[in-house]
Every structure is written in C-alpha cells, then in structure tokens.
Amino acid sequence: MRLFAAQAASVLAGLLIFTVKNHIVSHRLVPHVEGEGIPYPLVVVSLIIAALGIHLAWRLYTVRQLLGQQAEAESAVWKLLRYPYQLLASMLFAGLISIGVSVALGGDGDPVQTYADVLTGGIGMSLAMAVLLFVAVRGVLRETVLRLQREYGGGRSLPIIRPLLTTYLGAFLAAMLNVQQLMLIQSKQPGSLSLQAFIGAASIDAALGLSLAIFVTTRFRAEFRRMVRSLRELVMDEHPRVPRPKGDPEDEASDLALVFHELQARARQRFEQFERELRLANKVQQKLLPPGDMTIGSYRIAARSRPYHEVGGDFFDVLSLGPNRFAIMIGDVSGKGVPAALLMSALLMLFRAEIRRNGNPAEVMMRINEELCEALGEEGAVTMGIGVVDSVHDTLQYVSAGHLSPYIVSECGSVRALDCSSLPIGIDPETQYESIVHKLQPGDQFMLYTDGLIEAMDEAGRMYSFDGLEQELARWGLGGDLPARVDDWLGRMDAKYARDNDDRTIVVLELVHAYWLQAAEREAAAALHGALLDEMAPSRFYAHDWMLGSAQGTERMVAEQVGMLVSTFWPETVLGEDVQSAVSEGIMNAMEHGNRLRPGSVVAVQAQVGSRITVIRIYDSGGGFFPHVARNEEEMARKRESEDPRGWGLVLIDALSDYWATGRDERGFYLEIYFMRKTRA
Amino acid sequence: MQQPLVIEKRQFPGGCVMQLRGELTRASEHEILDGFAAEFAGEVRFLVLDLTGITYINSGGMAVLIRFARTAKKAGMHTFAWGITPHYEKLFRMVGLTEWIMLYPNEFSVMQRIESL
C-alpha cells in the first residue's frame, strides 16, 4: 500500500506541478487541452496510476513467489532492487506515448514540426515525473531491500553511484527540456510569454530538480552517518577509550576513516592477543604431557605428538603405578582446535586420577566413559587406548575405546595388530570395556597412534594408510635406538606426507632386549644386597631432604652437606669425599639431562644415613635413562678423545658408590646411590 | 657459593706454571682454554698446572682439563700437574685423565722431571 501510495502521490505531484507551471505560462505548454470538459493530462495520469498499480501488484506477486523458494530468494531481491529503475524507464516511455497521442490528435499538418515545443516539454515533463516516481519508490523500497539482503544473502547489488547519478541526470535533463520548451514557444510566437511567466515556469523546473537532488543526497548522507555511527558504537564497546564526538561530525568521510582505522587497530590487537593466547595454550598443553623419551626399568618409551593447529585434541600419557607397574595411554578427541584441547586437558587429568585409584585399564575406561557422558551429554566422542605394563612379568593389559588397533612389532620383524574393537567413550555411559592381556617378549615394540598419522597425504593426494605404516614397522625389527628411529621416521613422514590436516600422535613402547638382560643381572646382584638393606631399620637412620633449582654450581653445597653427614655419622670412615663427588655428579646429571637446565625445574635430594648403609635419592622431572654404564677401555678412550669429553658422571658414581639404581615414583625419575659403612685402608 | 676460577701464570725457561685457584668446573672452560695454545706457541714446551688452590672439581672440570692437555699436546707441549688431593687423584685415574696429564706430589718433583727431559 505504501508503495502504491508513493507511486500515485508522485504522479499526482508531477501533474500538480505541471498544471501550476502551465497556468503560469497561460496554458501555452499544452494549448489543445485548454477549455475541454475533461482535462486530457488528468485522464492520462489516471491511466498511468492504474497501470502502475497493476504492474506493482504483479511485481510483488512474482517477488513473493520467488521468496517462497529458498533457491530463488536472491533473484527476488534482485527484482525488487531493479524495480525503481524499471519504473523510471516505463514512466518515460508512457509519457512519450501519451504526448505523442496528444500531439497527433491535436492539430493539422506535420504534427512534429508544429508541436516541437509541446514534444520537448512533454518529454521534460515525463522525465520529471519519472524521476519523482523513481526517488519515491526507491525511498519506500530501500529498507525492505536491505532487510531481505541481510536475510537471504547479499547476492547481486547495484553501485551506490547509480541512484545518485540517475536522479541528478534525470532532474537536470528534465529542467533543461522544460526551459527549452519555453524558449521554443517564445520563438514561435514572440511576446506570447512575459518575462515573469518565463522565469516562474523555469524556476519551478529548477526547484523540482534541485529538490530531488537534495532529497537523494540527504538520504544518502543519513545512511552514511548511520553506518559510521554503528561502526563507532562497535569500536566504543570494544575500546571504551575512543573519544565520542559531540553530535554528528560534519565531515563524514574523515570520521569514517577515523573510526575504520580504530576498528582495524582493534581487530589487529585482538588477532595478536588471540595468537599469543594460542601459543601460551600450546605451551601449557605441552607441559601437561609427559616427556617424549622415557626409560622405565627395561622399557624404553618414545612418544611424539604434533597438533595440527597451535593446540590439538590428541593426548598421551605415561604414568608410574608403583615399583613394577606403569600405564601408557593415547587418546584422540573428535574435532580440532581450542574446544578439543580443553577436553583433552580435562581427560588427561581424569585419566591420571582414575588410573591411580585402580590400575585395571578396563575399569578405568568405564569410569572415564561414565564421567565424560555425564559431563558432555553425548556431545563429544573420544577414542582412547590404555595399557598397563607389569615390568616383572612383562605383560601388557590393554583396553581400547574405539581407538585404532595398536601394533606389536617383534624383534624378528613380524608386525601384528592387536584386535580390540569397542565404542569410543562419551557415547553410551553403559558401555562395557574389556581388556586383553599380551605377553611381551624381549625386543617387542608396542605401538599406539592416532588417525592423523594414517590419514596423512602426500602431494599427489595418496594417503599414508595402514599399508604404509605396516611397511615402516616391518623395518623396525632391525633394532637401534628407539627415539632416533621414531624421529627419523617422522622426519621422512613430514617431508613426504605434508598434506595432513589432523593432529598426529604416536607412542611406542619397547622392551629393550639388552636392558632386559642387564636388568636380570642387576636383580641378581640386588638380591645379594638384600640382607644388608634389611639392616637399615627406620629407627636407626638420619634423613634429610634438599630442593634446588637446575642451575649448575648449586650442586656443590648440597653435595658437601651430604658428604659431611656421612663423615659425621660414620666418623671412622673416609667416605665423605666419595659421597660428595658421587652426589655432585648425580645432581648435575639430573639438572642437565633430566631437567635440561630448564629454569624453575627442581632437583630433589633425599639422604638417609643409617647404621650400616647410606642411601641418597636424586629426583628430576625428565624421562629417565636405563642404568647402563659404558666403562670399558675402548669406550672411555673414545670419550676422552671426543670433541667434548663428557659423560663420566655415571662412571664416577659407579666407581665411587657400592651400588646404584634408577626408578620412578610419584615424584618423578630418581637415581639412588648406596654407600656401605666400611673402613677403607 | 660458586668460586670463580682464577689463573696466574709465571714463566720458567722452556715452560710456564699456571696456578689455578677456585672451582674447576665446566664454567671455567673459557678461562682455561681460550687462547693459551697461541699464547705459548713456539716458546713453551712444558705446561705445569698448580692445583693446590683448587677447592672443587667435578666431571665437567675434568673434561676441561682433558681438552686442555689434548690441545697442548697437539701444540707440542707436555702437561704436568701437582697439588691435588688423593681423592681427586683417584677420580683423575678413573676417567683416564692421567694418560694426558702427569701428576706429581709437588712442584720440586715436577721440575726435576722436566730437567731430565
């Protein structure tokens, strides 16, 4: 209705203006209608309004139909956008036809020659009415078109300059044609128009053109101001320090540039802050994970995790459950980025708490599943694999929750997948999980991995796949240092399979054959010390603890104090200096190799001096090492002649102490040094 | 409290005595090693380390001593040392440092040995 009213009002206003102008110039603009019963222009205008009404109804019907079909909505918006322009063209055309008919009906001879002035004025009048109609209809439709564009997408649009140019040009041409008509009338019948009438009529045309130009310009300015104001409010919400101008500034373009600059600076600041936070989150996430290389008893563990983004949803863990048991775990949260990383961190903490409560992996998995379902309400699926290793019997108890089957690679090179299918956790709180038990042989490697590894692609789009993994694992039976082998493999993977789009994590556990043999020997040796260890009754020893940062140079003071303790409690012995040097080397190893001299990392030292034995335990937060000392002549000579002759810490500890061992408990990896009470010559 | 290594040098015909005081650790690497081979090249055949002022040696310090003696040998110099406690002498033997540095109980015995060479 508003549209139709705008159309009718525009046409009628055009007619009114024309009638006033015609009256001023004594009806010389359309002389043939003078004195007739029904004014010809009124008939024409009525017909035009009726035609416009029909056209509008048809157009709106078409648009409604198209909006009903989601796929055609964009086309409907485009039709509405073009409607004012079509009206402009149609109005001009209709005006020309009606003027032509009027001229043809009104005189003898060559009508074009006779009524050139009428034709000129008719075109001018039609153009003026068309522009009036265009401005009015576009004004009414503008908000609707913007709303539909927001609702159904931007789609096609017209440049901002087009309505402005159309209005300016149309109004200017109409005014020129109307003045031209007056001049033609004056030249055909000199003196027929007074100067006042000429100026009056021309002024009406000029005022109409100017009004239209001012109207569209003012509307454009209002829209522009509204946009700048919205932007400023957006910036102020984000950035309260941005000054608010008093009232609307006069120079909108400068104001827009200013606000846009502020918005840009804020966006850049936000982006940098987000980047910083992601880097921090990455550091936190990496710190949550255990060291990549670890030694526990006869087992060597190498774990590598590389998130696809700064933070990822893959996780793994290696946890001591007592002197002879430890757990390894791998997990993959569905999804990537920050949400997956948050869930991953929570699950890691949950796993650590649950596995310590009960070391049975199946029960642990069920409890984690229940808690995850309760917390997330079946919104996030997570695959997990948990293994518990008994290092006395070399057995692996493993349970999987929808995780990819792990592989066992034997020393002879055979590769076998452990079948264990089940639902991921976080789907059904009632899911029952069952563990399988596998007896590990010396040299066996147990490998856990996430799907990012399998789905990595090379440049040609070929997936690494299970075949690629099995071919690689088949070469692993040849032995060698596990971390070096894993790093070499991943280096080759990175070079060739660069088109991955997921986090990539592997955890490999190896029962090292050489370690296993040596451990057996050490166990036999330890049995010899058993009787002596029993003598260290709790009531008969003195104990003291130290904590020190990982800064070289600080070890001397603690080592001296431990040495003095031994000298004080065992005055008849000459062990003080030996203890001091051994402890000093142990602490240095813990700082340098265990804690990698990280600022803030701590080395804890416990000394217990009993009546017959002194035990010193040195803790670090590293991955540990296997208690093996290379002190044969060749090895020692090679060390001495190397560029950086080092690695004698353990050699000295081994030579100075009576016995030493390594282990892991809830405080971390430790080196334990034993001194027996004996008088040396 | 860490005691930095202080080195004092005094020449004798054909050689140089380096008096070391403080802690001998990996931190003393530059103090000992930097530029000594070039400094003594051609003039010195015998390097004598006076270790009586050393209060503490760890495996890092022993590694520095080995590199020192090895560099000296490459430059045609012999390395001697005196003044270490029996405990550190034991440690030197454990890591094979005595294959590079000849240990003597005092300066007189070192000089006697040098004169006989």
Side-chain angles (χ1 to χ4, degrees):
Chain A
M1 273 313 288
R2 276 183 64 203
L3 258 182
F4 182 69
Q7 287 181 346
S10 310
V11 176
L12 286 172
L15 178 65
L16 183 66
I17 291 165
F18 177 76
T19 310
V20 170
K21 205 171 68 171
N22 201 24
H23 181 74
I24 289 172
V25 295
S26 310
H27 301 277
R28 297 211 178 266
L29 297 178
V30 278
H32 68 281
V33 295
E34 195 178 347
E36 286 183 9
I38 303 168
Y40 175 73
L42 201 58
V43 175
V44 172
V45 163
S46 301
L47 285 173
I48 288 173
I49 290 173
L52 284 174
I54 293 166
H55 183 242
L56 175 66
W58 174 72
R59 172 51 56 96
L60 289 182
Y61 172 77
T62 318
V63 168
R64 271 180 203 281
Q65 290 290 105
L66 289 174
L67 282 177
Q69 307 162 26
Q70 196 65 29
E72 298 294 331
E74 200 177 297
S75 161
V77 178
W78 177 241
K79 276 185 185 298
L80 271 189
L81 197 63
R82 286 176 59 215
Y83 185 59
Y85 297 91
Q86 288 172 343
L87 271 187
L88 181 91
S90 308
M91 188 65 198
L92 198 57
F93 182 69
L96 283 175
I97 295 291
S98 64
I99 295 295
V101 170
S102 140
V103 168
L105 293 174
D108 305 324
D110 181 0
V112 176
Q113 187 63 37
T114 312
Y115 293 103
D117 55 331
V118 178
L119 269 174
T120 310
I123 297 169
M125 185 186 75
S126 303
L127 191 55
M129 283 175 87
V131 172
L132 200 58
L133 188 65
F134 168 78
V135 171
V137 171
R138 188 177 174 275
V140 174
L141 271 181
R142 180 73 179 148
E143 284 301 321
T144 312
V145 170
L146 284 177
R147 185 170 53 76
L148 290 176
Q149 277 181 331
R150 279 197 297 272
E151 203 171 323
Y152 296 103
R156 288 178 289 180
S157 59
L158 294 168
I160 183 71
I161 198 75
R162 187 180 280 197
L164 292 176
L165 269 184
T166 306
T167 311
Y168 295 157
L169 205 62
F172 176 73
L173 273 177
M176 290 296 292
L177 286 167
N178 288 333
V179 171
Q180 181 69 27
Q181 182 194 20
L182 294 173
M183 289 170 72
L184 284 170
I185 291 168
Q186 182 69 356
S187 62
K188 201 161 68 179
Q189 293 172 312
S192 62
L193 284 179
S194 68
L195 182 63
Q196 289 89 340
F198 188 95
I199 291 174
S203 300
I204 286 177
D205 290 326
L208 177 66
L210 206 59
S211 303
L212 286 171
I214 289 172
F215 177 74
V216 292
T217 309
T218 312
R219 269 190 80 98
F220 175 70
R221 190 184 182 204
E223 275 180 33
F224 195 71
R225 277 188 168 184
R226 204 159 49 233
M227 194 171 70
V228 175
R229 203 159 37 238
S230 304
L231 270 179
R232 180 174 290 285
E233 277 163 12
L234 182 70
V235 175
M236 282 195 65
D237 284 347
E238 297 281 331
H239 215 358
R241 284 174 302 171
V242 174
R244 183 191 285 277
K246 289 176 184 168
D248 282 332
E250 289 301 314
D251 185 354
E252 291 87 359
S254 302
D255 195 38
L256 176 63
L258 184 72
V259 173
F260 186 73
H261 178 73
E262 283 161 5
L263 193 64
Q264 205 177 20
R266 184 66 187 168
R268 192 184 307 119
Q269 202 178 17
R270 268 298 182 87
F271 181 74
E272 285 168 0
Q273 186 186 349
F274 183 63
E275 289 270 292
R276 271 199 306 275
E277 284 172 357
L278 269 185
R279 279 197 294 274
L280 184 66
N282 174 267
K283 276 187 186 170
V284 171
Q285 201 176 32
Q286 292 305 314
K287 281 195 176 184
L288 283 177
L289 299 174
D293 297 332
M294 297 180 85
T295 303
I296 302 177
S298 305
Y299 289 85
R300 196 95 167 89
I301 299 155
R304 304 286 183 269
S305 183
R306 197 200 60 186
Y308 176 60
H309 293 299
E310 290 284 348
V311 288
D314 280 7
F315 55 107
F316 68 91
D317 205 4
V318 182
L319 208 63
S320 173
L321 301 176
N324 303 315
R325 291 175 82 225
F326 64 92
I328 60 170
M329 180 273 284
I330 194 165
D332 183 359
V333 177
S334 60
K336 294 190 249 321
V338 175
L342 283 173
L343 188 53
M344 163 261 166
S345 309
L347 277 168
L348 198 59
M349 296 300 117
L350 187 60
F351 166 74
R352 285 175 185 172
E354 291 295 342
I355 196 84
R356 283 191 174 118
R357 274 177 61 195
N358 183 341
N360 181 333
E363 285 177 27
V364 170
M365 192 69 91
M366 283 191 273
R367 284 203 303 272
I368 294 176
N369 179 42
E370 279 168 23
E371 294 196 36
L372 188 68
C373 287
E374 198 177 313
L376 292 185
E378 303 179 9
E379 279 184 13
V382 179
T383 69
M384 255 179 113
I386 302 173
V388 171
V389 177
D390 178 336
S391 57
V392 173
H393 303 101
D394 293 326
T395 54
L396 167 75
Q397 206 178 355
Y398 180 76
V399 62
S400 165
H403 202 78
L404 296 168
S405 295
Y407 283 99
I408 298 277
V409 185
S410 71
E411 205 170 20
C412 67
S414 75
V415 179
R416 187 165 72 87
L418 281 186
D419 288 329
C420 36
S421 60
S422 52
L423 270 183
I425 55 171
I427 292 177
D428 177 9
E430 303 294 323
T431 309
Q432 296 292 311
Y433 293 98
E434 286 182 14
S435 55
I436 54 169
V437 178
H438 180 82
K439 169 77 179 160
L440 291 164
Q441 302 300 326
D444 272 1
Q445 294 165 72
F446 173 67
M447 193 220 178
L448 292 162
Y449 54 97
T450 56
D451 54 4
L453 184 85
I454 298 298
E455 290 162 9
M457 290 201 189
D458 66 7
E459 285 304 317
R462 284 187 297 269
M463 201 181 275
Y464 188 61
S465 76
F466 290 100
D467 289 343
L469 177 60
E470 286 171 15
Q471 282 168 18
E472 172 66 31
L473 293 180
R475 292 201 289 266
W476 283 22
L478 298 172
D481 183 51
L482 178 66
R485 198 184 325 137
V486 168
D487 288 337
D488 169 62
W489 170 42
L490 292 181
R492 282 186 278 120
M493 281 277 299
D494 285 343
K496 194 172 176 192
Y497 293 88
R499 280 175 55 190
D500 57 346
N501 58 359
D502 200 357
D503 307 329
R504 192 191 286 180
T505 299
I506 60 163
V507 180
V508 188
L509 168 84
E510 182 181 3
L511 174 52
V512 185
H513 204 149
Y515 290 3
W516 184 80
L517 290 173
Q518 288 174 26
E521 288 169 10
R522 283 188 174 274
E523 275 167 24
L528 294 174
H529 290 274
L532 293 168
L533 291 173
D534 288 343
E535 289 183 29
M536 198 179 73
S539 58
R540 292 164 62 195
F541 70 79
Y542 175 84
H544 196 90
D545 282 19
W546 293 264
M547 301 274 275
L548 63 163
S550 296
Q552 284 179 331
T554 54
E555 80 284 353
R556 183 183 170 189
M557 188 192 71
V558 175
E560 276 180 354
Q561 289 182 15
V562 180
M564 277 172 64
L565 269 181
V566 173
S567 300
T568 308
F569 282 88
W570 296 350
E572 80 286 3
T573 65
V574 286
L575 288 171
E577 283 183 315
D578 287 1
V579 171
Q580 182 188 332
S581 285
V583 171
S584 171
E585 295 302 325
I587 297 175
M588 281 205 307
N589 268 354
M591 286 176 176
E592 200 174 340
H593 304 300
N595 293 348
R596 296 184 189 280
L597 297 173
R598 281 190 302 271
S601 57
V602 171
V603 172
V605 181
Q606 292 178 345
Q608 297 177 344
V609 186
S611 57
R612 300 290 299 271
I613 189 167
T614 289
V615 183
I616 301 122
R617 217 177 238 204
I618 300 164
Y619 284 94
D620 64 54
S621 53
F625 60 90
F626 186 75
H628 164 69
V629 184
R631 57 189 156 172
N632 61 54
E633 277 310 306
E634 275 182 30
E635 181 65 22
M636 290 296 282
R638 198 175 58 75
K639 276 184 183 171
R640 280 193 298 271
E641 283 157 26
S642 71
E643 270 304 300
D644 188 6
R646 298 173 69 194
W648 292 321
L650 274 184
V651 174
L652 292 176
I653 291 167
D654 190 66
L656 294 170
S657 66
D658 290 293
Y659 181 71
W660 62 276
T662 58
R664 184 179 287 280
D665 63 16
E666 65 280 357
R667 292 188 73 173
F669 177 82
Y670 62 80
L671 167 73
E672 208 166 42
I673 310 170
Y674 297 80
F675 287 91
M676 311 305 297
R677 186 171 190 169
K678 54 181 178 277
T679 310
R680 289 182 181 168
Chain B
M1 191 70 184
Q2 207 167 356
Q3 298 167 345
L5 185 76
V6 179
I7 304 174
E8 280 179 21
K9 295 170 190 162
R10 58 187 159 85
Q11 301 270 353
F12 65 89
C16 177
V17 175
M18 295 171 72
Q19 188 185 20
L20 275 54
R21 281 184 284 125
E23 292 182 2
L24 189 49
T25 64
R26 192 170 168 72
S28 11
E29 188 176 10
H30 295 295
E31 291 289 331
I32 295 186
L33 295 177
D34 286 357
F36 86 92
E39 187 185 338
F40 298 138
E43 297 173 15
V44 172
R45 282 184 59 219
F46 307 106
L47 281 171
V48 184
L49 300 175
D50 175 2
L51 303 177
T52 45
I54 291 293
T55 55
Y56 172 70
I57 309 175
N58 62 21
S59 61
M62 291 179 220
V64 172
L65 280 185
I66 283 204
R67 286 176 65 188
F68 175 84
R70 215 171 53 194
T71 313
K73 192 173 183 180
K74 279 182 190 165
M77 294 179 261
H78 299 278
T79 310
F80 303 85
W82 90 85
I84 54 165
T85 64
H87 172 68
Y88 285 124
E89 189 173 336
K90 182 171 74 180
L91 300 192
F92 280 20
R93 291 191 194 286
M94 281 177 190
V95 299
L97 189 57
T98 45
E99 290 183 19
W100 296 87
I101 299 175
M102 286 167 270
L103 299 178
Y104 288 86
N106 49 45
E107 187 174 4
F108 177 75
S109 53
V110 174
M111 292 306 169
Q112 288 283 306
R113 176 64 185 146
I114 288 172
E115 277 174 22
S116 69
L117 287 171

